[in-house]
Amino acid sequence: MGAKCDQVAKYALQIANNNVHGYSMENRCGTLASGDFDCSSFVTYVWHLVDPDVAAYGSTETMVSQMVGTGKFDILPSSTKPKKGDVVHSFGSERPSGIGHTELVYDDYGSLVGAHSNYDKKAGDSSGREISTDGGSASSYHRILRYNRDNIGVKKAYNSITGVTTQ
Protein backbone atom coordinates (compact mmCIF):
# COMPACT_ATOMS: atom_id res chain seq x y z
CA MET A 1 0.00 0.00 0.00
CA GLY A 2 1.15 3.50 0.57
CA ALA A 3 2.75 5.76 3.12
CA LYS A 4 -0.32 6.23 5.32
CA CYS A 5 -1.00 2.50 5.58
CA ASP A 6 2.65 2.00 6.51
CA GLN A 7 2.33 4.65 9.24
CA VAL A 8 -0.86 3.08 10.61
CA ALA A 9 0.84 -0.32 10.87
CA LYS A 10 3.87 1.28 12.55
CA TYR A 11 1.73 3.07 15.18
CA ALA A 12 -0.36 -0.05 15.83
CA LEU A 13 2.71 -2.20 16.43
CA GLN A 14 4.29 0.55 18.57
CA ILE A 15 1.26 0.51 20.87
CA ALA A 16 1.01 -3.30 20.89
CA ASN A 17 4.69 -3.64 21.82
CA ASN A 18 4.44 -1.23 24.75
CA ASN A 19 2.88 -2.86 27.82
CA VAL A 20 1.80 0.46 29.33
CA HIS A 21 -1.12 -0.06 26.92
CA GLY A 22 -3.71 -2.65 27.82
CA TYR A 23 -7.31 -3.52 27.08
CA SER A 24 -10.25 -1.75 28.67
CA MET A 25 -13.81 -1.11 27.53
CA GLU A 26 -14.36 1.36 30.36
CA ASN A 27 -11.16 3.41 29.92
CA ARG A 28 -10.71 3.09 26.17
CA CYS A 29 -9.19 6.44 25.18
CA GLY A 30 -5.45 5.77 25.22
CA THR A 31 -2.76 7.73 23.40
CA LEU A 32 0.65 6.83 21.97
CA ALA A 33 2.18 7.67 25.35
CA SER A 34 -0.12 5.75 27.67
CA GLY A 35 -3.58 4.40 28.33
CA ASP A 36 -5.78 1.51 27.37
CA PHE A 37 -7.95 0.73 24.34
CA ASP A 38 -10.72 -1.62 23.35
CA CYS A 39 -10.67 -3.12 19.85
CA SER A 40 -12.46 -0.31 18.03
CA SER A 41 -10.81 2.58 19.86
CA PHE A 42 -7.41 1.02 19.09
CA VAL A 43 -8.11 0.75 15.35
CA THR A 44 -9.77 4.15 14.96
CA TYR A 45 -7.14 5.90 17.11
CA VAL A 46 -4.19 4.70 15.02
CA TRP A 47 -6.03 5.68 11.84
CA HIS A 48 -6.84 9.08 13.39
CA LEU A 49 -3.12 9.67 14.03
CA VAL A 50 -2.47 9.34 10.31
CA ASP A 51 -5.67 10.90 8.96
CA PRO A 52 -7.49 13.30 11.31
CA ASP A 53 -10.72 12.88 9.30
CA VAL A 54 -11.08 9.45 10.91
CA ALA A 55 -12.86 9.90 14.24
CA ALA A 56 -10.74 8.61 17.12
CA TYR A 57 -12.32 6.20 19.61
CA GLY A 58 -15.18 5.00 17.42
CA SER A 59 -17.22 2.01 18.54
CA THR A 60 -17.41 -1.30 16.69
CA GLU A 61 -21.04 -0.53 15.85
CA THR A 62 -20.39 3.00 14.46
CA MET A 63 -16.87 2.85 13.02
CA VAL A 64 -17.83 1.44 9.59
CA SER A 65 -20.22 4.29 8.80
CA GLN A 66 -17.80 6.84 10.28
CA MET A 67 -14.78 5.61 8.31
CA VAL A 68 -16.62 5.08 5.03
CA GLY A 69 -18.37 8.42 5.58
CA THR A 70 -15.02 10.21 5.22
CA GLY A 71 -14.97 9.08 1.59
CA LYS A 72 -11.51 7.62 2.20
CA PHE A 73 -12.42 3.97 2.86
CA ASP A 74 -14.08 1.33 0.73
CA ILE A 75 -15.97 -1.68 2.08
CA LEU A 76 -14.69 -4.91 0.58
CA PRO A 77 -15.88 -8.49 1.09
CA SER A 78 -13.90 -10.59 3.56
CA SER A 79 -12.79 -12.80 0.66
CA THR A 80 -10.57 -9.91 -0.51
CA LYS A 81 -6.84 -10.45 0.05
CA PRO A 82 -5.99 -8.21 3.02
CA LYS A 83 -3.29 -5.54 2.71
CA LYS A 84 -1.33 -3.50 5.22
CA GLY A 85 -3.56 -0.85 6.79
CA ASP A 86 -6.82 -2.71 6.14
CA VAL A 87 -9.37 -2.91 8.93
CA VAL A 88 -11.16 -6.24 9.38
CA HIS A 89 -14.55 -5.95 11.05
CA SER A 90 -17.64 -7.83 12.19
CA PHE A 91 -20.75 -6.42 13.87
CA GLY A 92 -21.96 -8.11 17.04
CA SER A 93 -25.03 -9.44 15.23
CA GLU A 94 -22.70 -11.34 12.87
CA ARG A 95 -20.78 -13.20 15.58
CA PRO A 96 -21.86 -16.11 17.80
CA SER A 97 -20.76 -14.19 20.91
CA GLY A 98 -22.97 -11.25 19.97
CA ILE A 99 -19.98 -8.96 20.49
CA GLY A 100 -18.52 -7.09 17.52
CA HIS A 101 -14.79 -7.08 16.90
CA THR A 102 -12.22 -5.36 14.71
CA GLU A 103 -8.47 -5.65 14.07
CA LEU A 104 -5.87 -3.99 11.88
CA VAL A 105 -3.77 -5.68 9.19
CA TYR A 106 -0.13 -4.77 9.79
CA ASP A 107 1.59 -6.44 6.83
CA ASP A 108 0.78 -7.63 3.31
CA TYR A 109 0.38 -11.22 4.51
CA GLY A 110 -2.86 -10.48 6.37
CA SER A 111 -1.34 -10.58 9.88
CA LEU A 112 -3.54 -8.89 12.47
CA VAL A 113 -2.90 -6.65 15.46
CA GLY A 114 -5.61 -5.62 17.87
CA ALA A 115 -6.91 -5.15 21.40
CA HIS A 116 -8.32 -8.42 22.73
CA SER A 117 -9.15 -8.76 26.42
CA ASN A 118 -8.25 -7.45 29.87
CA TYR A 119 -6.60 -10.58 31.26
CA ASP A 120 -5.47 -9.13 34.61
CA LYS A 121 -8.23 -6.52 35.18
CA LYS A 122 -5.57 -3.80 35.63
CA ALA A 123 -4.48 -0.82 33.55
CA GLY A 124 -1.68 -1.59 31.14
CA ASP A 125 -0.75 -5.08 30.02
CA SER A 126 1.20 -7.29 32.37
CA SER A 127 0.60 -10.34 30.14
CA GLY A 128 1.76 -8.94 26.80
CA ARG A 129 -1.43 -10.34 25.21
CA GLU A 130 -4.05 -7.64 25.72
CA ILE A 131 -2.98 -5.64 22.67
CA SER A 132 -1.04 -8.00 20.47
CA THR A 133 -0.51 -9.65 17.12
CA ASP A 134 -2.57 -12.70 18.16
CA GLY A 135 -5.55 -11.60 16.07
CA GLY A 136 -6.27 -14.78 14.18
CA SER A 137 -7.29 -14.84 10.53
CA ALA A 138 -8.70 -11.96 8.49
CA SER A 139 -11.04 -14.44 6.77
CA SER A 140 -13.01 -14.90 10.00
CA TYR A 141 -14.34 -11.33 9.74
CA HIS A 142 -17.27 -10.13 7.63
CA ARG A 143 -15.78 -7.12 5.85
CA ILE A 144 -12.58 -5.25 5.12
CA LEU A 145 -12.31 -1.47 5.18
CA ARG A 146 -9.55 -0.32 2.85
CA TYR A 147 -8.07 3.17 2.73
CA ASN A 148 -8.47 4.45 -0.82
CA ARG A 149 -6.33 7.62 -0.74
CA ASP A 150 -2.83 6.16 -0.99
CA ASN A 151 -3.41 5.25 -4.63
CA ILE A 152 -5.02 8.42 -5.97
CA GLY A 153 -4.00 8.82 -9.57
CA VAL A 154 -3.20 5.13 -10.02
CA LYS A 155 -5.17 3.73 -12.92
CA LYS A 156 -7.16 0.61 -12.18
CA ALA A 157 -8.53 -1.87 -14.67
CA TYR A 158 -11.49 -4.14 -13.96
CA ASN A 159 -11.71 -7.49 -15.78
CA SER A 160 -15.41 -8.37 -16.02
CA ILE A 161 -14.64 -11.99 -16.86
CA THR A 162 -12.43 -12.74 -13.85
CA GLY A 163 -13.91 -10.08 -11.57
CA VAL A 164 -10.41 -8.88 -10.69
CA THR A 165 -9.33 -5.26 -10.42
CA THR A 166 -5.65 -4.61 -11.18
CA GLN A 167 -3.46 -1.54 -10.97
Side-chain angles (χ1 to χ4, degrees):
M1 282 307 288
K4 288 194 177 190
C5 292
D6 290 340
Q7 288 177 296
V8 163
K10 177 184 162 194
Y11 286 135
L13 291 171
Q14 180 180 339
I15 290 170
N17 291 325
N18 184 342
N19 288 341
V20 301
H21 301 289
Y23 181 93
S24 176
M25 288 186 77
E26 295 79 25
N27 299 305
R28 57 190 293 279
C29 296
T31 67
L32 271 178
S34 65
D36 294 342
F37 297 89
D38 69 359
C39 64
S40 55
S41 67
F42 173 72
V43 168
T44 56
Y45 176 74
V46 294
W47 261 109
H48 177 76
L49 289 173
V50 174
D51 188 329
D53 289 342
V54 176
Y57 312 120
S59 74
T60 306
E61 299 303 312
T62 62
M63 65 185 287
V64 172
S65 61
Q66 289 171 340
M67 293 176 84
V68 172
T70 67
K72 298 178 180 183
F73 290 84
D74 296 320
I75 300 175
L76 304 173
S78 60
S79 59
T80 304
K81 182 180 185 299
K83 295 181 179 182
K84 185 187 294 185
D86 283 354
V87 174
V88 294
H89 177 275
S90 291
F91 289 112
S93 60
E94 297 169 322
R95 298 186 59 178
S97 67
I99 299 171
H101 192 63
T102 187
E103 302 252 346
L104 184 78
V105 178
Y106 69 87
D107 63 20
D108 286 328
Y109 302 103
S111 303
L112 302 178
V113 59
H116 303 115
S117 185
N118 189 348
Y119 296 105
D120 60 7
K121 307 299 181 218
K122 298 177 184 173
D125 184 3
S126 62
S127 69
R129 300 180 302 153
E130 293 183 15
I131 300 178
S132 68
T133 57
D134 299 336
S137 169
S139 63
S140 65
Y141 292 84
H142 289 82
R143 70 198 48 77
I144 291 176
L145 303 178
R146 180 164 294 159
Y147 191 68
N148 61 28
R149 293 295 192 227
D150 275 343
N151 294 319
I152 289 181
V154 174
K155 294 189 179 192
K156 296 181 180 181
Y158 178 75
N159 183 323
S160 61
I161 296 170
T162 63
V164 174
T165 301
T166 58
Q167 295 183 9

